[in-house]
Amino acid sequence: MTILVGCRADESGIAALSLAALLARSADTDLVVCSIVADAWPVDPTNLDAEFLAYLERVAQQHLDQARARLPEDIRATYVARHAGSIPKGLMEAAAEHDADMIVVGSSS
């Protein structure tokens, strides 16, 4: 069994990460921590969109680094960032790629 958790740096994301860690520990299973970079438009590498996309990638990596620092050491976790047309689509694709049996996300504001 594998659990995928959507990674965000806000309070909702921290709660989701805590729940996912609890479930992973209880089930003695692996956790995939996933941060999605939403590609909402086609990026033209010759203009500022490329710079904004690079910024979003850095933010996604920062979220993963924060999640890594928050998770207890006894949790087996993989950290991935991926691009997708939307966050839900990216989470579903990541779940399929990692053969996840469950997806944990935080509540929306």
Side-chain angles (χ1 to χ4, degrees), residues 2-97:
T2 300
I3 299 170
L4 182 127
V5 59
C7 179
R8 290 176 29 175
D10 63 5
E11 188 174 319
S12 173
I14 293 167
L17 185 64
S18 295
L19 175 60
L22 176 72
L23 294 169
R25 181 181 286 133
S26 297
D28 190 29
T29 191
D30 296 328
L31 185 62
V32 177
V33 182
C34 184
S35 185
I36 305 297
V37 177
D39 294 332
W41 65 92
V43 176
D44 179 359
T46 63
N47 66 23
L48 294 178
D49 287 347
E51 289 180 32
F52 185 64
L53 183 58
Y55 165 77
L56 292 177
E57 290 169 352
R58 284 192 307 274
V59 169
Q61 193 58 53
Q62 289 171 355
H63 290 178
L64 293 174
D65 291 343
Q66 291 170 0
R68 186 178 288 112
R70 287 186 178 279
L71 276 179
E73 290 184 16
D74 65 323
I75 302 296
R76 296 182 311 269
T78 303
Y79 300 86
V80 297
R82 63 179 301 126
H83 290 259
S86 70
I87 292 172
K89 181 179 179 186
L91 290 173
M92 293 298 291
E93 290 171 351
E97 178 182 322

